[in-house]
Each structure stands twice: as C-alpha cells, then as structure tokens.
Amino acid sequence: MPNSSQREVRVRFAPSPTGDLHVGNIRTALFDWAYARHTGGKFIFRIEDTDRERVTDEYIAAAIDTLRWLGLQWDEGPEVGGPYGPYLQSQRLEIYAEWATKFLAQGDAYHCYCSAAELEAVREAQRSANVAPGYDGKCRNLSAEAIAVYEAEGRKPVVRMRMPEGSTTFTDLIRGDVSFEHDFVPDFVLVRADGSPLYTLAVAVDDVMMKVTHVLRGEDLLSSTPRQIRVYQAMGVTPDEYPLFAHLPFVMGQDNTKLSKRNGEVSIAWYRDAGYLPEAICNYLALLGWSPGEDREDVSMKELTELFTVERVHSSPARFDMKKLEAINGDKIRSLTLDEFYSRALPFLQRAEVITGTVAEADLVKRALPIIQERIATLSEIPLMLKFLFVTNFSVEPDSQTKIQDEQSKKVLQSALDALSGVSDWSHESIESVLRVALIEGLGLKPRIAFGAVRIAVTGSHISPPLFESMELLGRERSLERIKAAL
RNA sequence: GGCCCCGUCGUCUAGUGGCCUAGGACUCUGGCUUCUCAAGUCAGCUACGAGGGUUCGAAUCCCUUCGGGGCUACCA
C-alpha cells in the first residue's frame, strides 16, 4: 500500500457553515484548491454539519454559492457527487455510529455517564488546583453495577475515546515535527448523549473513508490533531496511511486579533456586493501566508495552481489589509477587456437603478466604460461615475453648486455655451479645441478653473470622468441644456 | 495556569551563513504629468522583538528572555 505522499493527492475543504463563509475560510479553500490543482489531484468539498444547532441549510447553500463564484471548482462534493459520498456529514450518521460501536467493542472507547455539571465541577477544581484540565477518567472502567445504577437514574451516556499513555508526534508540512504528551490530551467525546457524532469522530472517519491524503486547514485545529490520529489508530489505519497535515496560519484583523465583524468585513458575500472581483480576492488572499517569491505579486488563478506549493506557506499569521485588496482589485479591473468589464459592470448599474436594461443604454454604457476603467478600485463605483449620463431629472450636487455661483463662473458658462452652440461635429476633440479657444485663450483662464465650471454644470459634480469625453457621450443637446440651466 | 504554535519596514512579504550598509508590494509623504478624480512615473520615510552564544562572518544555527496567538466543550 503506497503511503500518503505517493498516492494520488486528495485534498479536502471541510467548512462548518455556521455563518457566511469568511475571509479565513476562503483562504483555506483557496490553498486546498490550488494544492489539488498543482499536483493534479482531487479537490474535495465536504460540509461538516454535525452541529445542526448552528449549521443551517441557508449557510450551506451560501457556502456552495460562494465557492462557485470564486471559481474554486470541486471534483467531489455537494451537487457534483463523487465515489465517496455523501459529502454532507449529516447524511453519514450511520457510518459514524458503526465506527463508534466498533470502538466501544474494541475497548478503544467507553460510555461516560458524567453530567455536564459534574464535568464542570471537575474542571473548576482542576483550575483552582492549577493542574492540567481535562476529563478525569472517572467512567473509564465502570463496573456493571455502577453502569446499572446510572442507567436506572435515566442517565444517557456519551461515547468517549480512551487516550492511552504516551505521546503523539506528527510531521506538519509547515511547522515540522509537533508532539503532544497524552497527559495533556484528555479522553474526548466522540458521540453525544443523543447519539449524534462530534467533529472529532466525523472528521477522522471521513478523511480516512474519503481517502484524503492532505489536510490543509487552519492552525486552530493543530492541537486537535492528536485526537484525530487517535481515531485513525482505533480504525486500524496504519501510520503510513495517515493523511499529511499542514496547518495554515491565521488571517488576523487589523488590530491583530482574530478577524471578525469588529475589525473588518469578513463575509465574502460582502466583498462580492462591494464590487470586488473574485480573481482579485483570490490573488490577495493567496498572498496572505504564501508567496511565489521573486517579488511576484500579480498572480492569476491559473498561475496560482502552477506556482502553489505547501513548502512556501508561512508559519506566522497575517493581517488582513483592505487597502491592499483594493489596490489589487483596481489593477485587476484595469486589466479587464472591455467585454469582461462590461459584463461585470452591468449588474452593478442595474442594481443601483442607473439603467433599466435597454439596448440604447447598453450601447452608451459600452462607450462610457473605457473612460472610467482606470479610475475605479471597485465595481460599486461605476454607478456613481456614470449616473450623470442616464439620470432624467438632472441636478448639480449641492457641494459643487456653490462653486459655480460666482460671476466668473457665469461668464465661463456663458462663453462655453456660445462657443459650443456653433459646433456641429460633436466629438470630444472638437469640443476640447472649441472650449480651449473660448475659455483659455478668450478669457485667459487657467484650464482647471475654466473646465471646472463646465464640468460641474454638465456632470453635476466637481469630480467626474474626463470632461470632453463625458460631453461627447452625453450628447450635444443635453450638454447645452445643462450649461444653460446652470446660468 | 497548562499544552502547542508563532516573531524581518505601519501591513503583506523576499531572504535557508558571506550576493543584505536587508529587496519588492500596499499604505503614507513629496515631485513630475495634468481639464477634476484617478491612472502613470520619480523620490523619500520606516524593519531583522531583546540578550547571550557558535563562526573569520548571522536576519539566517543554538540557548534564554520578552511579546502575540490558538487550544484547554456533549463547537468546529
């Protein structure tokens, strides 16, 4: 039997969707995916919903949707199936029950009748006595009589795994050898009193049964690895068949605490709505805890699969920096072809109700996009910048309005109106040359002063896309109307 | 408290004993460009947590220390 490093690579992403997938989850998913693709192996998507109190169908659906949106296509998992399914743990309950029964029969696990209150009391005592906390092993070797008494009391037992004396050592692909003395790994629960399995049981059983070869996951799971390995042993899996572990460093918030709502947006759905491109999110996230070296930072999805190796993953945590994500997003937007940019822009324009979806609008949008492409960092800025082209009841922003109330501005607008009235070829080139002659040469004004007033009158704001192109797009009639209205 | 992990510019990182008076990117500051805003471009600021070793030579190896984080559930 070939060992884990020789078998076909099978990597799984196994979130427990107790909310929207967040930045940290996705970084893990991205690395899992990239590693599978890099090695030509399989990317498996599994839902860990053993805690049905917290995992809902909505969150599961959202997780599936998010992964799809990001382009992290899975080879096995929800909706696509696969040879080792089902891929929802809630649909594998009988499998876990069978193994638990087997462990019980083998003596690897035992029934524990301790109540939550009793366990808490033990922990409390351990805390004050300053000794290692954990289950005290009270039910490890219960006599038949003692069991009968508990049963008579109506107590429902949990199934608890027996940790033998000794220690567990494993090689983490990122951190090297890590070992834990079993004195600090207490007997742990596999099955709840109601018969439902816990993560510790399900994760190990599934990884073995789904023939997972590499477990790349968050470092918060590092200290649960000995428990997972203990289950492998009880299952009869030999060490050379264990999956290889790689514990990824955390993605932290700005204030160096775990990323959460408090210190930055975490939900990927939020980034989607805010106009971030999936490839930008992936590119940025890839740089958190990993780097291709050689001062490279711009990485496409394809390049990521070519360059990604676990060896180049860091062991130290990274802070999430929205500013850098934004910068990368802007770069990605600028490198979009017009067609790509157009299809991504459309939903944002429609959602903002700037356009309704007519053919005429589509044409104007297509002509307008090139002049704003290099001016935005997120797609959500598009409606703001293009609104002036579509609005029916046009008005100038109050802030800008005050800037064209003075005599000089009126004079500028009047001159512009006069000069522009005679223009027949309404192209940005001729608009510009006519205005330069009339305002710069004619009135002797600085360009920023002269064009500023026209800009406000025509676009409604002192910040806008390039003036002459904007006027060309707006059309002669509407442009002149707006200048007139501003007088 | 115990166990485990981690420690290079503000942030993400390059760096695996000499190529490092530490490179790139983002941010920030200033300049150029310029019809606004951007984009582009040039320049600048700022880092090997600290202390000991090992070595001709250390960001790179060892030890100690300090700091940060995770786990310590019938959560994952």
Coordinates of all heavy atoms in Angstrom, one line a residue, chain A residues 22-109:
Chain A
H22 N -16.2 33.1 5.5 CA -15.4 34.4 5.7 C -14.0 34.3 5.1 O -13.6 33.3 4.5 CB -15.4 34.8 7.2 CG -14.8 33.7 8.0 ND1 -13.4 33.5 8.2 CD2 -15.4 32.7 8.8 CE1 -13.2 32.5 9.0 NE2 -14.3 32.0 9.4
V23 N -13.3 35.4 5.2 CA -12.0 35.5 4.6 C -11.1 34.4 5.0 O -10.4 33.8 4.1 CB -11.4 36.9 5.0 CG1 -10.0 37.0 4.6 CG2 -12.2 38.0 4.4
G24 N -11.1 34.0 6.2 CA -10.2 32.9 6.6 C -10.5 31.6 6.0 O -9.7 30.8 5.5
N25 N -11.8 31.3 6.0 CA -12.3 30.0 5.3 C -11.9 30.0 3.9 O -11.4 29.0 3.4 CB -13.8 30.0 5.3 CG -14.5 29.7 6.6 OD1 -13.9 29.0 7.4 ND2 -15.6 30.3 6.9
I26 N -12.1 31.1 3.2 CA -11.8 31.1 1.8 C -10.3 31.0 1.5 O -9.9 30.4 0.5 CB -12.3 32.4 1.2 CG1 -13.8 32.4 1.2 CG2 -11.9 32.6 -0.3 CD1 -14.5 31.2 0.6
R27 N -9.5 31.6 2.4 CA -8.0 31.5 2.2 C -7.7 30.0 2.3 O -6.9 29.4 1.5 CB -7.3 32.3 3.2 CG -5.9 32.7 2.8 CD -4.9 31.6 3.0 NE -5.0 31.0 4.4 CZ -4.3 31.4 5.4 NH1 -3.4 32.3 5.3 NH2 -4.5 30.9 6.6
T28 N -8.3 29.3 3.2 CA -8.0 27.8 3.4 C -8.5 27.1 2.1 O -7.8 26.3 1.6 CB -8.8 27.3 4.6 OG1 -8.3 27.9 5.8 CG2 -8.5 25.8 4.7
A29 N -9.7 27.4 1.7 CA -10.3 26.8 0.5 C -9.4 27.0 -0.7 O -9.1 26.1 -1.5 CB -11.7 27.3 0.2
L30 N -8.9 28.2 -0.8 CA -8.1 28.6 -2.0 C -6.8 27.7 -2.0 O -6.4 27.2 -3.0 CB -7.7 30.1 -1.9 CG -6.9 30.6 -3.0 CD1 -7.6 30.6 -4.3 CD2 -6.5 32.1 -2.7
F31 N -6.2 27.6 -0.8 CA -4.9 26.8 -0.7 C -5.2 25.3 -1.0 O -4.4 24.7 -1.7 CB -4.3 27.0 0.6 CG -3.6 28.3 0.8 CD1 -3.8 29.4 -0.1 CD2 -2.7 28.5 1.9 CE1 -3.2 30.6 0.1 CE2 -2.0 29.7 2.0 CZ -2.3 30.8 1.1
D32 N -6.3 24.8 -0.5 CA -6.7 23.5 -0.7 C -6.9 23.2 -2.2 O -6.3 22.3 -2.8 CB -8.1 23.1 0.0 CG -7.9 23.0 1.5 OD1 -6.8 22.5 1.9 OD2 -8.9 23.2 2.2
W33 N -7.6 24.1 -2.8 CA -7.9 24.0 -4.3 C -6.6 24.1 -5.1 O -6.3 23.3 -6.0 CB -8.8 25.1 -4.6 CG -9.1 25.3 -6.1 CD1 -10.0 24.6 -6.8 CD2 -8.5 26.2 -7.0 NE1 -10.0 25.0 -8.2 CE2 -9.0 26.0 -8.3 CE3 -7.4 27.2 -6.8 CZ2 -8.6 26.8 -9.4 CZ3 -7.1 27.9 -7.9 CH2 -7.6 27.7 -9.2
A34 N -5.8 25.1 -4.7 CA -4.6 25.3 -5.5 C -3.6 24.1 -5.4 O -3.0 23.8 -6.3 CB -3.9 26.6 -5.0
Y35 N -3.6 23.6 -4.2 CA -2.7 22.4 -4.0 C -3.2 21.2 -4.8 O -2.4 20.5 -5.4 CB -2.6 22.1 -2.5 CG -1.5 21.0 -2.3 CD1 -0.2 21.3 -2.5 CD2 -1.8 19.7 -1.9 CE1 0.8 20.4 -2.4 CE2 -0.9 18.8 -1.8 CZ 0.5 19.1 -2.0 OH 1.4 18.1 -1.8
A36 N -4.5 21.0 -4.8 CA -5.0 19.9 -5.5 C -4.7 20.1 -7.0 O -4.3 19.1 -7.7 CB -6.5 19.8 -5.3
R37 N -5.0 21.3 -7.5 CA -4.7 21.5 -8.9 C -3.2 21.5 -9.3 O -2.9 21.0 -10.3 CB -5.3 22.9 -9.3 CG -6.8 23.1 -9.3 CD -7.5 22.3 -10.4 NE -8.9 22.2 -10.2 CZ -9.5 21.2 -9.5 NH1 -8.8 20.1 -9.1 NH2 -10.8 21.2 -9.4
H38 N -2.4 21.9 -8.4 CA -1.0 21.9 -8.6 C -0.4 20.5 -8.8 O 0.4 20.3 -9.6 CB -0.2 22.6 -7.5 CG 1.3 22.6 -7.6 ND1 1.9 23.5 -8.5 CD2 2.2 21.8 -7.1 CE1 3.2 23.3 -8.4 NE2 3.4 22.3 -7.6
T39 N -1.0 19.6 -8.0 CA -0.5 18.3 -8.0 C -1.3 17.4 -9.0 O -1.0 16.2 -9.1 CB -0.6 17.6 -6.6 OG1 -2.0 17.7 -6.2 CG2 0.3 18.4 -5.6
G40 N -2.3 17.9 -9.6 CA -3.1 17.1 -10.5 C -4.0 16.2 -9.7 O -4.5 15.2 -10.2
G41 N -4.2 16.5 -8.4 CA -5.0 15.6 -7.6 C -6.5 16.1 -7.6 O -6.9 16.8 -8.4
K42 N -7.2 15.6 -6.5 CA -8.6 15.9 -6.5 C -8.9 16.9 -5.3 O -8.3 16.8 -4.3 CB -9.4 14.6 -6.2 CG -9.4 13.6 -7.3 CD -10.4 14.0 -8.4 CE -10.6 12.9 -9.5 NZ -9.4 12.8 -10.3
F43 N -9.9 17.8 -5.6 CA -10.3 18.8 -4.6 C -11.7 18.4 -4.1 O -12.6 18.3 -4.9 CB -10.3 20.2 -5.3 CG -10.8 21.3 -4.3 CD1 -10.3 21.4 -3.0 CD2 -11.8 22.2 -4.8 CE1 -10.8 22.4 -2.2 CE2 -12.3 23.2 -3.9 CZ -11.8 23.3 -2.7
I44 N -11.7 18.1 -2.9 CA -13.0 17.5 -2.3 C -13.6 18.6 -1.4 O -12.9 19.2 -0.6 CB -12.7 16.3 -1.5 CG1 -12.1 15.2 -2.4 CG2 -14.0 15.7 -0.9 CD1 -11.2 14.2 -1.7
F45 N -14.9 18.8 -1.5 CA -15.6 19.8 -0.8 C -16.6 19.0 0.1 O -17.4 18.2 -0.4 CB -16.4 20.7 -1.7 CG -17.2 21.8 -1.0 CD1 -16.9 22.2 0.2 CD2 -18.2 22.4 -1.7 CE1 -17.6 23.3 0.8 CE2 -18.9 23.5 -1.2 CZ -18.6 23.9 0.1
R46 N -16.4 19.1 1.4 CA -17.3 18.4 2.4 C -17.8 19.4 3.4 O -17.2 20.3 3.9 CB -16.4 17.4 3.1 CG -17.2 16.5 4.1 CD -16.3 15.4 4.7 NE -15.4 15.9 5.7 CZ -14.1 15.5 5.8 NH1 -13.6 14.6 5.0 NH2 -13.4 16.0 6.7
I47 N -19.1 19.2 3.7 CA -19.8 20.0 4.7 C -19.8 19.3 6.1 O -20.3 18.3 6.2 CB -21.2 20.3 4.3 CG1 -21.3 20.9 2.9 CG2 -21.9 21.2 5.3 CD1 -20.8 22.3 2.8
E48 N -19.2 20.0 7.0 CA -19.2 19.5 8.4 C -20.3 20.1 9.2 O -20.2 21.1 9.8 CB -17.8 19.8 9.0 CG -16.6 19.5 8.1 CD -15.6 18.6 8.8 OE1 -15.2 18.8 9.9 OE2 -15.1 17.6 8.1
D49 N -21.4 19.4 9.1 CA -22.6 19.9 9.8 C -23.1 18.9 10.9 O -24.3 18.6 11.0 CB -23.7 20.1 8.8 CG -24.1 18.8 8.0 OD1 -23.3 17.9 8.0 OD2 -25.1 18.8 7.3
T50 N -22.1 18.5 11.7 CA -22.5 17.6 12.8 C -23.2 18.4 13.9 O -23.8 17.9 14.7 CB -21.3 16.9 13.4 OG1 -20.3 17.9 13.6 CG2 -20.7 15.9 12.4
D51 N -23.0 19.7 13.9 CA -23.6 20.5 14.9 C -24.8 21.2 14.2 O -24.8 22.4 13.7 CB -22.7 21.6 15.4 CG -23.3 22.5 16.5 OD1 -24.5 22.3 16.8 OD2 -22.6 23.3 17.0
R52 N -25.9 20.5 14.1 CA -27.1 21.1 13.4 C -27.8 22.2 14.1 O -28.7 22.8 13.6 CB -28.1 19.9 13.0 CG -27.6 18.9 12.0 CD -27.2 19.6 10.7 NE -28.2 20.3 10.0 CZ -28.2 20.6 8.7 NH1 -27.2 20.2 7.9 NH2 -29.2 21.4 8.2
E53 N -27.3 22.4 15.3 CA -27.9 23.6 16.0 C -27.4 24.9 15.4 O -28.1 25.9 15.4 CB -27.4 23.6 17.5 CG -27.8 22.4 18.3 CD -29.1 22.6 19.0 OE1 -29.3 23.6 19.6 OE2 -30.0 21.7 18.8
R54 N -26.2 24.8 14.9 CA -25.6 26.0 14.4 C -25.5 26.1 12.9 O -25.4 27.2 12.3 CB -24.2 26.2 15.0 CG -24.3 26.4 16.5 CD -22.9 26.2 17.2 NE -22.0 27.2 16.8 CZ -20.7 27.0 16.6 NH1 -20.2 25.8 16.8 NH2 -19.9 28.0 16.3
V55 N -25.4 24.9 12.2 CA -25.3 24.9 10.8 C -26.7 24.9 10.2 O -27.5 24.0 10.5 CB -24.5 23.7 10.3 CG1 -24.4 23.7 8.8 CG2 -23.1 23.7 10.9
T56 N -27.0 25.8 9.3 CA -28.3 25.8 8.6 C -28.2 25.5 7.1 O -27.1 25.7 6.6 CB -29.0 27.2 8.8 OG1 -28.3 28.1 8.0 CG2 -29.0 27.6 10.2
D57 N -29.3 25.1 6.5 CA -29.3 24.9 5.1 C -29.0 26.1 4.3 O -28.3 26.1 3.3 CB -30.7 24.3 4.7 CG -30.9 22.9 5.2 OD1 -29.9 22.2 5.6 OD2 -32.1 22.5 5.2
E58 N -29.4 27.3 4.8 CA -29.1 28.5 4.1 C -27.6 28.8 4.1 O -27.1 29.2 3.0 CB -29.8 29.7 4.8 CG -31.3 29.8 4.7 CD -32.0 28.7 5.5 OE1 -31.5 28.3 6.6 OE2 -33.0 28.1 5.0
Y59 N -26.9 28.5 5.2 CA -25.5 28.8 5.2 C -24.8 27.8 4.3 O -23.8 28.1 3.7 CB -25.0 28.6 6.6 CG -25.3 29.8 7.5 CD1 -25.7 29.6 8.8 CD2 -25.3 31.1 7.0 CE1 -26.0 30.7 9.7 CE2 -25.6 32.2 7.8 CZ -26.0 32.0 9.2 OH -26.3 33.0 10.0
I60 N -25.3 26.5 4.3 CA -24.7 25.5 3.4 C -24.8 26.0 1.9 O -23.9 26.0 1.1 CB -25.3 24.2 3.6 CG1 -25.0 23.6 5.0 CG2 -24.8 23.2 2.5 CD1 -25.7 22.3 5.4
A61 N -26.0 26.4 1.6 CA -26.3 26.9 0.2 C -25.4 28.1 -0.1 O -24.8 28.2 -1.2 CB -27.7 27.2 0.0
A62 N -25.2 29.0 0.8 CA -24.4 30.1 0.6 C -22.9 29.8 0.4 O -22.2 30.4 -0.4 CB -24.5 31.1 1.8
A63 N -22.5 28.8 1.1 CA -21.1 28.3 1.0 C -20.8 27.7 -0.4 O -19.8 28.0 -1.0 CB -20.8 27.3 2.1
I64 N -21.8 27.0 -0.8 CA -21.7 26.4 -2.2 C -21.6 27.5 -3.2 O -20.8 27.5 -4.1 CB -22.9 25.4 -2.4 CG1 -22.8 24.2 -1.6 CG2 -23.0 25.1 -3.9 CD1 -24.0 23.3 -1.6
D65 N -22.5 28.5 -3.0 CA -22.6 29.6 -4.0 C -21.3 30.4 -4.0 O -20.8 30.8 -5.0 CB -23.8 30.5 -3.5 CG -24.0 31.6 -4.5 OD1 -24.0 31.3 -5.7 OD2 -24.1 32.7 -4.1
T66 N -20.8 30.6 -2.8 CA -19.5 31.4 -2.7 C -18.3 30.7 -3.4 O -17.6 31.4 -4.1 CB -19.2 31.7 -1.2 OG1 -20.2 32.5 -0.6 CG2 -17.9 32.4 -1.1
L67 N -18.2 29.5 -3.1 CA -17.1 28.7 -3.7 C -17.2 28.8 -5.3 O -16.2 28.9 -6.0 CB -17.1 27.3 -3.2 CG -15.8 26.8 -2.6 CD1 -15.3 27.7 -1.5 CD2 -16.0 25.4 -2.0
R68 N -18.4 28.6 -5.7 CA -18.7 28.6 -7.2 C -18.3 30.0 -7.7 O -17.6 30.1 -8.8 CB -20.2 28.4 -7.4 CG -20.6 27.0 -7.4 CD -20.9 26.5 -8.8 NE -21.0 25.0 -8.8 CZ -22.0 24.3 -8.3 NH1 -23.1 25.0 -7.8 NH2 -22.0 23.0 -8.3
W69 N -18.7 31.0 -7.1 CA -18.5 32.4 -7.5 C -17.0 32.7 -7.6 O -16.5 33.3 -8.5 CB -19.1 33.4 -6.6 CG -18.8 34.8 -6.9 CD1 -19.3 35.5 -8.0 CD2 -18.0 35.8 -6.2 NE1 -18.9 36.8 -8.0 CE2 -18.1 37.0 -6.9 CE3 -17.3 35.7 -5.0 CZ2 -17.4 38.1 -6.5 CZ3 -16.6 36.8 -4.6 CH2 -16.6 38.0 -5.4
L70 N -16.2 32.1 -6.7 CA -14.8 32.4 -6.6 C -14.1 31.5 -7.7 O -12.9 31.8 -8.0 CB -14.2 32.0 -5.3 CG -14.6 33.0 -4.2 CD1 -14.2 32.4 -2.8 CD2 -13.8 34.3 -4.4
G71 N -14.8 30.5 -8.3 CA -14.1 29.7 -9.3 C -13.4 28.6 -8.7 O -12.5 28.0 -9.4
L72 N -13.6 28.2 -7.5 CA -12.9 27.1 -6.9 C -13.8 25.8 -7.1 O -14.5 25.4 -6.2 CB -12.7 27.3 -5.4 CG -12.0 28.6 -5.0 CD1 -11.8 28.8 -3.5 CD2 -10.6 28.7 -5.7
Q73 N -13.7 25.3 -8.3 CA -14.5 24.2 -8.7 C -14.0 22.9 -8.0 O -12.8 22.6 -7.9 CB -14.3 24.0 -10.2 CG -15.5 23.2 -10.8 CD -16.8 23.7 -10.5 OE1 -17.6 23.1 -9.8 NE2 -17.1 24.9 -10.9
W74 N -14.9 22.2 -7.4 CA -14.5 21.0 -6.6 C -14.8 19.7 -7.5 O -15.8 19.7 -8.3 CB -15.2 20.9 -5.3 CG -16.7 21.0 -5.3 CD1 -17.6 20.1 -5.2 CD2 -17.5 22.3 -5.3 NE1 -18.9 20.6 -5.2 CE2 -18.8 21.9 -5.2 CE3 -17.1 23.6 -5.3 CZ2 -19.9 22.9 -5.2 CZ3 -18.1 24.6 -5.3 CH2 -19.5 24.2 -5.3
D75 N -14.0 18.7 -7.3 CA -14.2 17.5 -8.1 C -15.2 16.5 -7.4 O -15.8 15.7 -8.1 CB -12.8 16.8 -8.2 CG -11.8 17.7 -8.8 OD1 -12.0 18.2 -9.9 OD2 -10.8 18.0 -8.2
E76 N -15.3 16.6 -6.1 CA -16.2 15.8 -5.4 C -16.8 16.6 -4.3 O -16.1 17.4 -3.7 CB -15.5 14.6 -4.7 CG -14.9 13.6 -5.7 CD -14.0 12.5 -5.0 OE1 -14.3 12.2 -3.8 OE2 -13.1 12.0 -5.6
G77 N -18.1 16.4 -4.1 CA -18.8 17.2 -3.0 C -20.2 17.5 -3.3 O -20.8 16.9 -4.2
P78 N -20.8 18.4 -2.6 CA -22.2 18.7 -2.8 C -22.5 19.0 -4.2 O -21.7 19.7 -4.9 CB -22.5 19.9 -1.9 CG -21.4 19.9 -0.9 CD -20.2 19.2 -1.6
E79 N -23.6 18.6 -4.7 CA -24.1 18.9 -6.1 C -23.4 18.2 -7.2 O -23.9 18.1 -8.3 CB -24.2 20.4 -6.3 CG -25.2 21.1 -5.4 CD -25.5 22.5 -5.7 OE1 -24.8 23.1 -6.6 OE2 -26.4 23.1 -5.0
V80 N -22.1 17.8 -7.0 CA -21.4 17.1 -8.0 C -21.2 15.7 -7.7 O -20.9 14.9 -8.6 CB -20.0 17.8 -8.4 CG1 -20.2 19.3 -8.5 CG2 -19.0 17.5 -7.3
G81 N -21.4 15.3 -6.4 CA -21.3 13.9 -6.1 C -19.8 13.4 -6.0 O -18.9 14.2 -5.9
G82 N -19.7 12.1 -6.2 CA -18.3 11.5 -6.2 C -18.4 10.1 -5.6 O -19.4 9.8 -5.0
P83 N -17.3 9.4 -5.7 CA -17.3 8.0 -5.3 C -17.4 7.7 -3.8 O -17.6 6.6 -3.4 CB -16.1 7.4 -5.9 CG -15.2 8.6 -6.1 CD -16.1 9.8 -6.3
Y84 N -17.1 8.7 -3.0 CA -17.0 8.5 -1.6 C -18.1 9.3 -0.8 O -17.9 9.6 0.4 CB -15.6 8.8 -1.0 CG -14.6 8.1 -1.7 CD1 -13.8 8.7 -2.7 CD2 -14.3 6.7 -1.4 CE1 -12.8 7.9 -3.4 CE2 -13.4 6.0 -2.1 CZ -12.6 6.6 -3.1 OH -11.6 5.9 -3.7
G85 N -19.2 9.6 -1.4 CA -20.2 10.4 -0.8 C -21.1 9.6 0.1 O -20.8 8.4 0.3
P86 N -22.1 10.2 0.7 CA -22.4 11.6 0.6 C -21.4 12.5 1.2 O -20.6 12.1 2.1 CB -23.8 11.7 1.3 CG -23.8 10.6 2.2 CD -23.0 9.5 1.6
Y87 N -21.4 13.8 0.9 CA -20.4 14.7 1.3 C -20.9 15.7 2.4 O -20.3 16.7 2.7 CB -19.8 15.5 0.1 CG -19.0 14.5 -0.7 CD1 -19.6 13.8 -1.8 CD2 -17.6 14.3 -0.5 CE1 -18.9 12.9 -2.6 CE2 -16.9 13.3 -1.3 CZ -17.6 12.7 -2.3 OH -16.9 11.8 -3.1
L88 N -22.1 15.4 2.9 CA -22.6 16.2 4.0 C -22.6 15.2 5.2 O -23.1 14.1 5.1 CB -24.1 16.6 3.7 CG -24.4 18.0 3.3 CD1 -23.7 18.3 2.0 CD2 -25.8 18.3 3.3
Q89 N -22.0 15.7 6.2 CA -21.8 14.8 7.4 C -23.2 14.4 8.0 O -23.3 13.3 8.5 CB -20.9 15.4 8.4 CG -19.4 15.4 7.9 CD -18.5 15.9 9.0 OE1 -18.8 16.6 9.9 NE2 -17.2 15.4 8.8
S90 N -24.1 15.2 7.9 CA -25.4 14.9 8.4 C -26.1 13.7 7.7 O -27.0 13.2 8.2 CB -26.3 16.2 8.4 OG -26.5 16.6 7.1
Q91 N -25.5 13.4 6.5 CA -26.1 12.3 5.8 C -25.2 11.0 5.9 O -25.4 10.0 5.3 CB -26.2 12.6 4.3 CG -27.2 13.7 4.0 CD -27.1 14.2 2.5 OE1 -26.4 13.7 1.7 NE2 -27.9 15.3 2.3
R92 N -24.3 11.1 6.9 CA -23.4 10.0 7.1 C -23.5 9.4 8.5 O -22.5 8.7 8.9 CB -21.9 10.4 6.7 CG -21.8 11.0 5.3 CD -20.4 11.6 5.1 NE -19.3 10.7 5.3 CZ -18.9 9.8 4.4 NH1 -19.5 9.8 3.2 NH2 -17.9 9.0 4.7
L93 N -24.5 9.8 9.1 CA -24.7 9.4 10.5 C -24.5 8.0 10.9 O -23.8 7.6 11.9 CB -26.0 9.9 11.1 CG -26.1 11.3 11.7 CD1 -24.9 12.2 11.3 CD2 -27.4 12.0 11.4
E94 N -25.0 7.1 10.0 CA -24.9 5.7 10.3 C -23.5 5.2 10.3 O -23.1 4.2 11.0 CB -25.9 4.8 9.5 CG -25.7 4.9 8.0 CD -26.0 6.2 7.3 OE1 -26.6 7.2 8.0 OE2 -25.6 6.4 6.2
I95 N -22.7 5.8 9.4 CA -21.3 5.4 9.3 C -20.6 5.7 10.6 O -19.9 4.9 11.1 CB -20.6 6.2 8.1 CG1 -21.3 5.9 6.8 CG2 -19.1 5.9 8.1 CD1 -20.8 6.7 5.6
Y96 N -20.8 6.9 11.1 CA -20.1 7.3 12.4 C -20.6 6.3 13.5 O -19.8 6.0 14.4 CB -20.4 8.7 12.7 CG -20.2 9.7 11.6 CD1 -21.1 10.6 11.2 CD2 -19.0 9.6 10.9 CE1 -20.9 11.5 10.1 CE2 -18.7 10.5 9.8 CZ -19.7 11.4 9.4 OH -19.5 12.3 8.4
A97 N -21.9 6.0 13.5 CA -22.5 5.2 14.5 C -21.8 3.8 14.5 O -21.5 3.2 15.6 CB -24.0 5.1 14.4
E98 N -21.6 3.3 13.3 CA -20.9 2.0 13.2 C -19.5 2.0 13.8 O -19.1 1.1 14.5 CB -20.9 1.6 11.7 CG -22.1 0.9 11.2 CD -22.1 0.7 9.7 OE1 -21.0 0.4 9.2 OE2 -23.1 0.8 9.1
W99 N -18.8 3.0 13.4 CA -17.4 3.1 13.9 C -17.4 3.3 15.5 O -16.6 2.6 16.1 CB -16.7 4.2 13.3 CG -16.2 3.9 11.9 CD1 -16.7 4.4 10.7 CD2 -15.1 3.0 11.6 NE1 -16.0 3.8 9.7 CE2 -15.0 3.0 10.2 CE3 -14.3 2.2 12.3 CZ2 -14.1 2.2 9.5 CZ3 -13.3 1.4 11.6 CH2 -13.3 1.4 10.2
A100 N -18.3 4.1 16.0 CA -18.4 4.3 17.4 C -18.7 2.9 18.1 O -18.0 2.6 19.1 CB -19.5 5.3 17.8
T101 N -19.6 2.2 17.5 CA -19.9 0.9 18.1 C -18.7 0.0 18.1 O -18.4 -0.7 19.1 CB -21.0 0.2 17.3 OG1 -22.1 1.1 17.3 CG2 -21.5 -1.1 17.9
K102 N -18.0 0.0 17.0 CA -16.7 -0.8 16.9 C -15.7 -0.4 17.9 O -15.1 -1.2 18.6 CB -16.2 -0.6 15.5 CG -15.0 -1.5 15.1 CD -14.9 -1.8 13.6 CE -13.8 -2.8 13.3 NZ -12.5 -2.2 13.1
F103 N -15.5 0.9 18.1 CA -14.5 1.4 19.1 C -14.9 0.9 20.5 O -14.1 0.6 21.3 CB -14.5 2.9 19.1 CG -14.0 3.5 17.8 CD1 -14.2 4.9 17.5 CD2 -13.3 2.7 16.8 CE1 -13.7 5.4 16.3 CE2 -12.9 3.3 15.6 CZ -13.1 4.6 15.3
L104 N -16.2 0.9 20.7 CA -16.7 0.5 22.0 C -16.4 -1.0 22.2 O -15.8 -1.4 23.3 CB -18.2 0.7 22.1 CG -18.9 1.7 23.0 CD1 -18.0 2.7 23.6 CD2 -20.1 2.4 22.2
A105 N -16.6 -1.8 21.2 CA -16.4 -3.2 21.3 C -14.9 -3.5 21.4 O -14.5 -4.4 22.1 CB -17.0 -3.9 20.0
Q106 N -14.1 -2.7 20.8 CA -12.6 -2.9 20.8 C -12.0 -2.4 22.1 O -10.9 -2.7 22.4 CB -12.0 -2.1 19.7 CG -12.2 -2.7 18.3 CD -11.7 -1.8 17.2 OE1 -11.8 -2.1 16.1 NE2 -11.3 -0.6 17.6
G107 N -12.8 -1.7 22.9 CA -12.3 -1.1 24.1 C -11.5 0.2 23.9 O -10.9 0.7 24.9
D108 N -11.5 0.7 22.7 CA -10.9 2.0 22.5 C -11.7 3.1 23.0 O -11.2 4.2 23.3 CB -10.7 2.2 20.9 CG -9.6 1.3 20.4 OD1 -8.5 1.3 21.0 OD2 -9.8 0.6 19.4
A109 N -13.0 2.9 23.1 CA -13.9 3.9 23.6 C -14.7 3.3 24.7 O -14.8 2.1 24.9 CB -14.7 4.5 22.5

